[in-house]
Structure formats: C-alpha cells, structure tokens
Amino acid sequence: MATRSKRTLKATPAEKPYHHGDLRQALVDAAVVLITEEGFGALSLREVARRAGVTHAAPYRHFADKEALLEAVAREGFRTMGREMRQRMDSAPDGPLEQLCAAGVAYVLFAVRHPPHFRVMFGPHFQHPLKPEAGPEAGPNAFTLLVDCIASGQAAGLLRGGDARALTLTAWSLVHGLASLFVDRQLEEAVQGLEAAEALAVVQTRLLITGLARTDADGNSDGR
C-alpha cells in the first residue's frame, strides 16, 4: 500500500483563517501602525486591508467606512486610558489628592505611550462626539475618574467647593494640554523619554492641585 505523502500548507494572506474577532482587531492594529508611520492622509480601508494581509473587501465585514474604523481605534484608546489611570490610582497612596495626581500623570503618560490613539480619540475625525461605551468591557471612564477624585477632595475639605464637574474641566484642560504638547513634540522633555515625561507630569499635576486647593476664603486651609 502506497504511503500518502504529507505536505505543509501555508495560507496566503487572503486565506488567513481569521476568526470573527481576530480580523477586526487585526484591522484596528494595522490602522494604528499606518497612522504612526504615514499619518492620517495615508489611511484607507484598502491600505489597512493590504497591511493586515486580507482582501480589499474584508474590512467591510466589520467597518462600514473609514470613520467606523477610526471609531474602533478611538474606543480602544479610551479603554486603555481608563485602565491605565485606574491602575496607577490603585498603586498610589490613599487620599484624594494623591489619587488625583496619579490620575493626571497616567493621562499624560497614556498619550506619550500611545500617540496615534490619542490623536484619533481627540482629533476632528467624527461627525458626532463619541458616546461613552457601556457594559463591563468598557472599563473605567477617564473623565468619571477625575470627577470622583475632585468630589472626594471636596468632601475631605482639601479642595475648594463648587461644582465638581467645573473643577474637573479645569483639571482635564491642564493634563490634556500637557499631553497634547508631548504628542506634538512641542516640549524639550518629549524627546527625553518616558521618565522625563513622568517627572514633568508630576510637577504640573501637583501645581494644578495647589491651584484647586481650598483657600482661606473657602474656609480653614492647611496650605495643601
């Protein structure tokens, strides 16, 4: 009886056995790499498909158009940002001011580590603002984390009173502005590595907290 020869089959790019979730993530990953290397002007579903090694029609199984793909990139960024903020807050000392500092530093470091995501998340790519995700996979919301820190600081008598959301917008404006300066490489520290970025973020966030601290006009203050 003849022995049947064995041969190894190698899938061509168009034949890659992606599962439903794998193809979607592969396209998101390819879009991030493309934006990093060539900018938004080079982004198209066709080019993303080519880089992911699938047919030109494959992206339409998951994304109706380029904006839908960018939305997926942005949502991945928001999930990662919220997770990194929560992780840094969990490792920080107890107390609302330390938690607020940790949240602000993590926000800036996210942008330094993930500039393509940051640009997509806050760039002019969407006709309507993205609505926050719901459900367990969404993870912690970055803005909600800041609101909670501010509210806890107010309740402890460490931060000035008033609308917690208004104070949060002040905090968000500073950390977002600092993050944007890093992403756009407008700061000397932007080319000095992550350690320099972290050090500057700590200094700026603590200055912010000093500005938000409860003053004599609000009541007794310990100067923090």
Side-chain angles (χ1 to χ4, degrees):
M1 180 174 169
T3 303
R4 185 174 298 173
S5 63
K6 296 182 179 180
R7 54 185 184 137
T8 302
L9 297 179
K10 293 184 178 180
T12 63
E15 297 171 333
K16 284 185 178 180
Y18 282 111
H19 297 294
H20 180 75
D22 296 335
L23 173 57
R24 188 178 192 279
Q25 187 59 50
L27 294 168
V28 170
D29 293 343
V32 171
V33 173
L34 181 58
I35 293 168
T36 302
E37 294 179 352
E38 302 186 35
F40 288 103
L43 186 68
S44 68
L45 289 181
R46 176 178 289 267
E47 178 59 17
V48 167
R50 187 189 72 78
R51 285 174 172 253
V54 297
T55 64
H56 296 157
Y60 293 97
R61 300 176 195 170
H62 297 281
F63 305 109
D65 51 28
K66 184 170 69 174
E67 183 174 331
L69 174 59
L70 287 172
E71 179 178 336
V73 173
R75 292 199 181 283
E76 180 177 73
F78 280 116
R79 287 192 297 270
T80 303
M81 172 187 278
R83 183 172 63 250
E84 291 184 0
M85 289 174 65
R86 181 74 269 172
Q87 288 171 348
R88 191 175 183 98
M89 291 168 68
D90 287 344
S91 64
D94 290 336
L97 299 190
E98 292 300 325
Q99 294 286 300
L100 180 58
C101 181
V105 172
Y107 187 105
V108 174
L109 293 183
F110 165 82
V112 174
R113 291 191 185 102
H114 310 282
H117 283 89
F118 188 81
R119 287 192 173 101
V120 174
M121 290 157 63
F122 299 106
H125 311 293
F126 308 107
Q127 294 183 1
H128 304 287
L130 294 181
K131 295 181 179 179
E133 285 186 294
E137 358 182 282
N141 178 277
F143 189 77
T144 301
L145 290 175
L146 289 176
V147 172
D148 291 345
C149 287
I150 295 288
S152 296
Q154 289 178 309
L158 300 172
L159 298 178
R160 63 182 62 199
D163 181 8
R165 186 177 183 276
L167 268 65
T168 304
L169 286 174
T170 299
W172 184 25
S173 297
L174 183 138
V175 296
H176 184 79
L178 183 59
S180 297
L181 289 171
F182 271 111
V183 169
D184 293 335
R185 302 180 75 81
Q186 297 298 310
L187 296 172
E188 182 179 313
E189 290 83 356
V191 297
Q192 295 177 359
L194 197 62
E195 188 174 335
E198 181 174 4
L200 182 59
V202 169
V203 169
Q204 294 301 313
T205 305
R206 292 199 178 281
L207 285 173
L208 166 70
I209 292 172
T210 300
L212 296 178
R214 187 172 179 175
T215 65
D216 292 338
D218 300 311
N220 294 329
S221 173
D222 57 9
R224 283 184 291 179

